[in-house]
Structure formats: structure tokens, C-alpha cells
């Protein structure tokens, strides 16, 4: 046992000293959910083995995610994340904090000197008031001691003496009050400067929250200045793309202004950081889901139940109904997931950024690019009374446009907002840019015949004629797409025939059964009528729903 203890004492490192070196966040890689926070820790240490304490880490810091980079000639040994008591340290204060503290102390001395000067002026005011009170009481006392009324000459002399002295005292009091007011005004800029200096110091020295962890590490250095970089994962942070889509016509072009909204609630402010936005999702699924095989089996059909022999009630077990029989096999349910596909993009900002914890939802501008766009008017007469301006854009930026909110502008006017879905490079998206009030729509049903009126019919035939009318009351020609629907069937006994005049340009577009589309140009002042004749037939004795 003694030998083992001796070996432990011999193997323990001999620390030259223990140094507390607060780090500063200098760079952040922000993901849609989470962030990698890089803090730089600088200190001076002599040659030897040292214990370095880096306090004030965010409370959700995970030890397994910490990574430390040391310069050449510095060897990092054991590393731990301490949340309890910490050893006594030699504090290493950054030059910025030292300068801020010095400025606060200087201004505190200046303000204190000003306040002492104002207090001295106030003492002169009190002295003048006391002098007036003394003179007034002295005159009263002398009159009482005489026992008789003094002569007129004596009264005039006493009044003149007291009046002269009181006047002088009052003038001194007024002068002192004026000096006090001037001194207060002169001190105000220094009081405001002190408040700003205290705020600047507080911003640099965010107090460590109770229970905030500290990083404790052992390192060996040859002496001199040492700069370490510590990477840690933070969960309470993220970014969301935001877009301004600005549409102009003649020529038709769509400018996509990309930006991001960033936030963080790690418990510490990030000031002057180098910000990188990454499309990676380290907190989400990184591998494909596991698909389990599905086992199916067949069993003999049970014989029909003879209700004449069925018991009046199900057997009871202790007042509870008997449980149903278990199924022979249960299929695994794995759910579903949506994975980000494609290359990870990193967007680095050239200027430093400030993001305060829990206080800022900061919007940053990235760039603006012009993409290919095709414009048309789109009409749904069954639901709308006017057509809408629709743009089909092609993503020619070379990068995916990530999902996010978009604000829409047409010819410089704000027309609304939408949620932009993921658009991969060379992918397409269709976006509406507001109503075209001069393109009017009507849809009427002038003729409808059926076997019986009602929602559920018992006849075997329905014949319907619908008319769609589109009027162009604008002063320009529009490429127009009209969309309407017709019923469709998936049963052989339910037959549906439709005659469209003019014929539809497309039926069942993109696999959407029962939809029809007409594409045509509509000149100013022109009108177009579309006629739909639909016949539905089914066997008697069946219900149509």
C-alpha cells in the first residue's frame, strides 16, 4: 500500500501554478438547429506544467463535444468539465476588460470630485442661512434684555445692521445656489459617460451564472504567450433563411434577395464574432432509416356465427369484459423522416457580428441574384372571381434555396408573403404575386338534370352543363391558364364522360385526376367562354355519393 501511494505521488504532475483564463467567443458556425462555438483563450505562463481554468461556459455544454486546439510547442493533457468548486487561481484579465475597468475607475473619481465640490457649495448655502437665523434671533434677544422699548434711533440702527447682514447672507445663498446648479450641469456629461463606461464593462464581463461549468485542463508549455481555441456545441441557437422576392415586368425578371434570421439563447453574448452559416444538420438524423421486413400470413376463414346459439352476453371476468384475442403477428411501425439531401454549404460573413443571448433576433443580408422566371395569369373560376399573377422560377443560383418565409413585391409594391419550399439547383417553383383585378371570372351552371334532387341521389343519370367566362378588362394582353375540375371514377359501373369546348390543353396535370387546364392568350377587351358538358351514369339500385 505504501509503495502504491508513493507511485501515485510520483506520477501526479507538479503544477507551476493554476491560472484562470476567461475565454472570449471569437467564431461561431451556426446550423439551422444548434451551433459550434469557438472561444479563444489567451494567457501568459512560464515554462512548466499548468492547470488552466476557463470559466463561464454555457450551462448546456457537453464534455464529449469539447475539442481543444493548441499551438505548436504546447501539450494538452487531462481535460475535465467542472461544475462544482474550483481551485484558487491567478486571474488573467483581457486587455479590453482592463481598459474598461480603468475607464470606469477614472470616471468614478471625476464624478466623486465633482460631488465633493457641490457639497462644499452646499455647505456655504447652509452657512448663509444659519447666519440669517442668528442675526434675527440676536435682534430679538437684545430687545427683550433692554426691558423697555429702545429709542427710535436705536431701533433704526439695529434694523439697518440686521438688514445689511441679512442681505449679504441672502446674496451669498443665492450665489451658492447658482454655483450648485452650474456644477450639476457641468457634472451631467461625466455622469452619462460613467454610465456608458459601466455598461461597456458589464457587456465585457457577463457575470457567471450559478452552476455554470468551467473547463479545467492541464498543459505543458515552454513559456510565453499561449492561445488556445476551444470548440463546443450549443443547442440553443439556430438560423432560418428569409427572402425578399422582387418581381418586375418588361422585361420579366425576379430578383431573389437572400438573408437569414439568426438567434441564440446560450446564456452568453456573442460580440464581434466571425459568423459562418452552415446547411449541415448535426442534431438531426444522419443515416437512412431502418426498414424492417413485413411478414404476412393467411389463416382459414372462421365459419359464420350462428346467432341463434350465441350467448346473451359476453362472459365476464371479475366484473371486466374478456380481452379480445391477440393478433397472430404485429407489423413494425417505423414512421417516416425527411432528410436534407445534397451538398453542405457554408456561408461566411466578412464583417464581425454581435448576437446577444435571448435578446436579438438578428436579420443578416447575404446577397441578391436574378433568376429565370416565366409569368402568366392563372384563373380558378370555381373558387375565385379574378385571376392571379403567377411566376414560375428556375433556381439558377447554383445553390439550394432553403425553406423559409418570403416577402413578395411586384413592381415595387408589397403584395404579400409566402413560405418558400426547398428549391434545389435548377429546380422550379411556382409563386403567386397578387390578384389581377382586370381579369374577371364567372362560372355558371345553366343546365343540370338528374333522376332525383338531393345530395344522395337514387336516379341513374346526371347531366350537367357548366360555362366559364373570362374577361380581360386590362390594357394589355395576358398569357392565361384556366383551371377547372370534373368528377372522375374508379369504378367500372360508374361511367363519367366529359366534353370540353374548346378542348383542354391538359387533363390530369401532374397526375392530379379530375383536373383540366386551358392555356391561351387573352387580348385587351377580349372574352373567352369555355363550355363543359358532363354525364354521369350508374346502375339502378346504387347510390351516388
Amino acid at each position: 500500500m505504501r509503495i502504491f501511494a508513493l507511485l501515485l505521488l510520483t506520477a501526479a504532475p507538479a503544477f507551476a501554478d493554476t491560472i484562470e483564463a476567461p475565454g472570449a467567443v471569437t467564431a461561431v458556425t451556426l446550423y439551422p438547429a444548434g451551433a459550434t462555438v469557438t472561444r479563444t483563450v489567451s494567457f501568459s505562463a512560464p515554462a512548466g506544467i499548468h492547470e488552466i481554468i476557463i470559466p463561464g461556459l454555457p450551462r448546456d455544454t457537453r464534455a464529449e463535444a469539447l475539442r481543444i486546439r493548441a499551438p505548436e510547442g504546447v501539450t494538452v493533457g487531462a481535460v475535465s468539465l467542472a461544475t462544482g468548486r474550483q481551485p484558487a487561481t491567478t486571474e488573467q484579465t483581457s486587455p479590453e476588460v482592463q481598459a474598461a475597468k480603468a475607464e470606469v475607475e477614472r470616471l468614478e473619481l471625476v464624478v466623486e470630485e465633482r460631488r465633493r465640490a457641490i457639497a462644499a457649495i452646499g455647505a456655504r448655502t447652509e452657512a448663509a442661512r444659519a447666519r440669517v437665523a442668528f442675526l434675527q434671533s440676536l435682534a430679538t434677544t437684545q430687545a427683550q434684555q433692554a426691558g423697555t422699548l429702545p429709542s427710535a434711533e436705536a431701533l433704526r440702527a439695529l434694523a439697518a445692521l440686521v438688514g445689511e447682514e441679512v442681505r449679504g447672507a441672502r446674496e451669498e445663498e443665492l450665489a451658492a445656489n447658482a454655483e450648485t446648479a452650474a456644477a450639476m450641469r457641468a457634472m451631467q456629461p461625466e455622469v452619462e459617460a460613467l454610465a456608458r463606461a459601466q455598461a461597456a464593462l458589464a457587456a465585457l464581463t457577463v457575470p457567471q451564472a450559478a452552476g455554470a461549468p468551467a473547463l479545467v485542463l492541464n498543459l505543458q508549455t515552454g513559456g510565453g504567450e499561449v492561445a488556445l481555441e476551444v470548440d463546443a456545441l450549443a443547442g440553443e441557437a439556430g438560423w432560418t433563411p428569409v427572402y425578399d422576392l422582387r418581381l418586375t415586368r418588361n422585361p420579366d425578371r425576379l430578383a431573389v434577395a437572400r438573408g437569414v434570421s439568426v438567434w441564440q439563447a446560450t446564456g452568453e453574448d456573442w460580440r464581434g464574432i466571425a459568423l459562418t452559416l452552415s446547411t449541415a444538420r448535426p442534431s438531426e438524423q444522419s443515416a437512412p432509416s431502418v426498414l424492417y421486413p413485413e411478414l404476412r400470413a393467411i389463416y382459414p376463414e372462421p365459419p359464420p356465427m350462428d346467432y341463434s346459439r350465441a350467448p346473451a352476453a359476453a362472459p365476464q371476468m371479475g366484473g371486466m369484459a374478456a380481452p379480445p384475442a391477440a393478433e397472430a403477428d404485429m407489423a413494425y411501425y417505423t414512421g417516416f423522416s425527411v432528410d436534407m439531401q445534397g451538398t453542405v454549404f457554408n456561408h461566411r460573413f466578412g464583417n464581425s457580428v454581435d448576437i446577444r443571448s435571448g435578446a436579438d433576433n438578428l436579420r443578416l443580408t447575404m446577397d441578391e441574384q436574378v433568376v429565370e422566371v416565366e409569368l402568366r395569369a392563372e384563373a380558378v373560376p370555381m373558387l375565385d372571381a379574378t385571376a392571379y399573377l403567377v411566376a414560375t422560377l428556375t433556381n439558377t443560383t447554383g445553390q439550394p434555396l432553403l425553406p423559409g418565409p418570403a416577402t413578395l413585391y411586384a413592381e415595387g409594391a408589397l403584395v404579400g408573403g409566402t413560405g418558400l419550399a426547398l428549391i434545389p439547383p435548377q429546380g422550379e417553383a411556382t409563386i403567386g404575386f397578387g390578384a389581377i383585378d382586370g381579369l374577371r371570372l364567372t362560372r355558371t351552371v345553366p343546365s343540370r338534370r338528374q333522376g332525383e334532387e338531393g345530395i344522395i341521389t337514387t336516379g341513374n343519370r346526371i347531366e350537367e352543363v357548366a360555362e366559364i367566362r373570362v374577361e380581360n378588362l386590362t390594357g394589355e394582353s395576358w398569357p392565361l391558364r384556366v383551371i377547372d375540375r370534373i368528377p372522375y371514377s374508379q369504378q367500372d359501373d360508374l361511367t363519367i364522360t366529359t366534353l370540353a369546348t374548346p378542348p383542354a390543353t391538359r387533363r390530369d396535370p401532374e397526375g392530379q385526376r379530375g383536373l383540366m387546364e386551358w392555356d391561351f392568350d387573352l387580348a385587351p377587351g377580349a372574352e373567352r367562354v369555355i363550355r363543359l358538358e358532363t354525364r354521369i351514369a350508374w346502375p339502378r339500385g346504387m347510390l351516388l355519393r
Side-chain angles (χ1 to χ4, degrees):
M1 182 64 72
R2 292 177 181 174
I3 297 175
F4 180 68
L6 180 61
L7 289 174
L8 285 178
L9 291 174
T10 304
F15 295 129
D17 54 8
T18 299
I19 300 174
E20 178 178 335
V25 177
T26 55
V28 173
T29 298
L30 204 59
Y31 311 111
T36 295
V37 180
T38 301
R39 68 183 70 243
T40 300
V41 182
S42 301
F43 55 91
S44 179
I49 300 176
H50 305 273
E51 184 177 55
I52 309 299
I53 297 181
I54 306 172
L57 299 183
R59 186 171 298 179
D60 63 349
T61 301
R62 293 158 40 196
E64 69 275 10
L66 289 170
R67 296 293 181 270
I68 301 172
R69 295 188 297 276
E72 186 177 356
V74 176
T75 303
V76 178
V79 178
S80 64
L81 194 63
T83 56
R85 63 182 182 87
Q86 301 166 9
T89 62
T90 301
E91 183 180 359
Q92 299 280 324
T93 304
S94 67
E96 293 82 1
V97 174
Q98 290 178 351
K101 285 182 177 179
E103 180 65 9
V104 169
E105 292 172 357
R106 184 189 71 81
L107 289 171
E108 285 177 344
L109 291 176
V110 171
V111 172
E112 182 61 28
E113 187 66 28
R114 291 278 193 180
R115 286 173 177 165
R116 283 199 294 267
I118 292 172
I121 298 173
R124 287 167 46 197
T125 302
E126 292 299 324
R129 291 174 181 172
R131 182 180 170 192
V132 170
F134 172 74
L135 291 172
Q136 292 172 342
S137 64
L138 178 62
T140 302
T141 302
Q142 288 181 349
Q144 291 175 349
Q145 290 177 352
T148 59
L149 291 174
S151 63
E153 292 78 6
L155 286 175
R156 283 194 293 270
L158 180 60
L161 176 62
V162 173
E164 184 66 23
E165 293 296 332
V166 168
R167 184 180 62 81
R170 292 295 188 191
E171 290 177 353
E172 291 180 10
E173 181 181 354
L174 292 174
N177 288 338
E179 288 184 39
T180 300
M184 293 289 290
R185 289 193 297 271
M187 184 180 67
Q188 188 59 31
E190 289 155 350
V191 171
E192 295 173 355
L194 175 59
R196 290 193 297 269
Q198 290 171 336
L201 177 60
L204 293 172
T205 57
V206 178
Q208 182 173 344
L215 182 62
V216 182
L217 55 93
N218 304 335
L219 61 81
Q220 184 173 9
T221 177
E225 295 292 330
V226 177
L228 304 176
E229 288 187 344
V230 180
D231 290 343
L233 289 180
E236 296 297 323
W239 68 278
T240 302
V242 291
Y243 302 93
D244 285 347
L245 304 184
R246 301 183 181 274
L247 180 67
T248 56
R249 302 182 59 210
N250 300 321
D252 298 341
R253 61 191 298 271
L254 181 64
V256 179
R258 298 191 300 171
V260 291
S261 176
V262 301
W263 63 274
Q264 63 102 350
T266 61
E268 62 178 344
D269 295 342
W270 299 341
R271 295 189 178 275
I273 61 169
L275 180 63
T276 299
L277 300 180
S278 174
T279 59
R281 285 169 163 77
S283 61
E284 297 183 8
Q285 182 174 324
S286 59
S289 302
V290 177
L291 184 63
Y292 295 94
E294 182 183 16
L295 175 63
R296 302 298 298 270
I298 59 174
Y299 302 93
E301 290 187 9
M305 179 176 289
D306 187 353
Y307 290 97
S308 64
R309 298 185 179 182
Q316 302 293 312
M317 299 176 59
M320 300 291 292
E327 295 185 14
D329 182 68
M330 295 292 292
Y332 288 95
Y333 177 74
T334 59
F336 67 96
S337 64
V338 179
D339 296 327
M340 181 70 183
Q341 298 180 352
T343 306
V344 172
F345 287 89
N346 292 322
H347 304 281
R348 294 180 175 84
F349 286 84
N351 300 328
S352 60
V353 177
D354 294 343
I355 310 175
R356 296 182 298 164
S357 176
D360 293 335
N361 195 345
L362 186 64
R363 175 163 177 168
L364 302 174
T365 300
M366 293 177 62
D367 59 13
E368 180 174 298
Q369 299 192 38
V370 177
V371 299
E372 297 179 4
V373 65
E374 179 182 346
L375 300 183
R376 66 173 180 273
E378 197 163 286
V380 184
M382 184 172 285
L383 302 176
D384 301 327
T386 186
Y388 286 80
L389 177 60
V390 172
T392 300
L393 67 90
T394 302
N395 180 11
T396 55
T397 65
Q399 301 178 10
L401 297 178
L402 301 177
T407 304
L408 307 177
Y409 299 86
E411 300 291 347
L414 176 65
V415 296
T418 188
L420 203 65
L422 173 67
I423 309 176
Q426 299 304 316
E428 292 186 352
T430 300
I431 301 172
F433 280 85
I436 307 173
D437 295 326
L439 293 179
R440 295 185 179 179
L441 315 173
T442 57
R443 188 183 193 277
T444 59
V445 182
S447 174
R448 179 182 175 89
R449 292 183 298 171
Q450 65 182 63
E452 182 177 335
E453 297 293 334
I455 298 176
I456 301 178
T457 64
T458 57
N460 66 347
R461 186 179 71 255
I462 292 179
E463 296 179 359
E464 179 182 275
V465 176
E467 286 186 355
I468 298 170
R469 190 179 303 273
V470 184
E471 299 177 89
N472 184 0
L473 303 182
T474 70
E476 59 180 307
S477 179
W478 285 95
L480 186 65
R481 174 171 296 174
V482 177
I483 304 173
D484 206 82
R485 75 181 182 193
I486 56 173
Y488 70 96
S489 170
Q490 294 180 328
Q491 296 174 298
D492 293 338
D493 291 338
L494 179 61
T495 61
I496 301 176
T497 57
T498 301
L499 175 63
T501 308
T505 307
R506 278 175 301 280
R507 298 190 62 159
D508 303 335
E510 299 181 359
Q512 300 180 85
R513 298 193 61 184
L515 296 185
M516 306 177 75
E517 295 180 350
W518 291 262
D519 290 341
F520 51 86
D521 291 333
L522 194 62
E527 178 181 284
R528 180 69 64 94
V529 177
I530 299 174
R531 180 181 175 89
L532 279 175
E533 302 177 33
T534 303
R535 184 178 185 277
I536 306 175
W538 66 96
R540 292 188 177 275
M542 306 292 288
L543 298 179
L544 175 65
R545 296 183 183 272

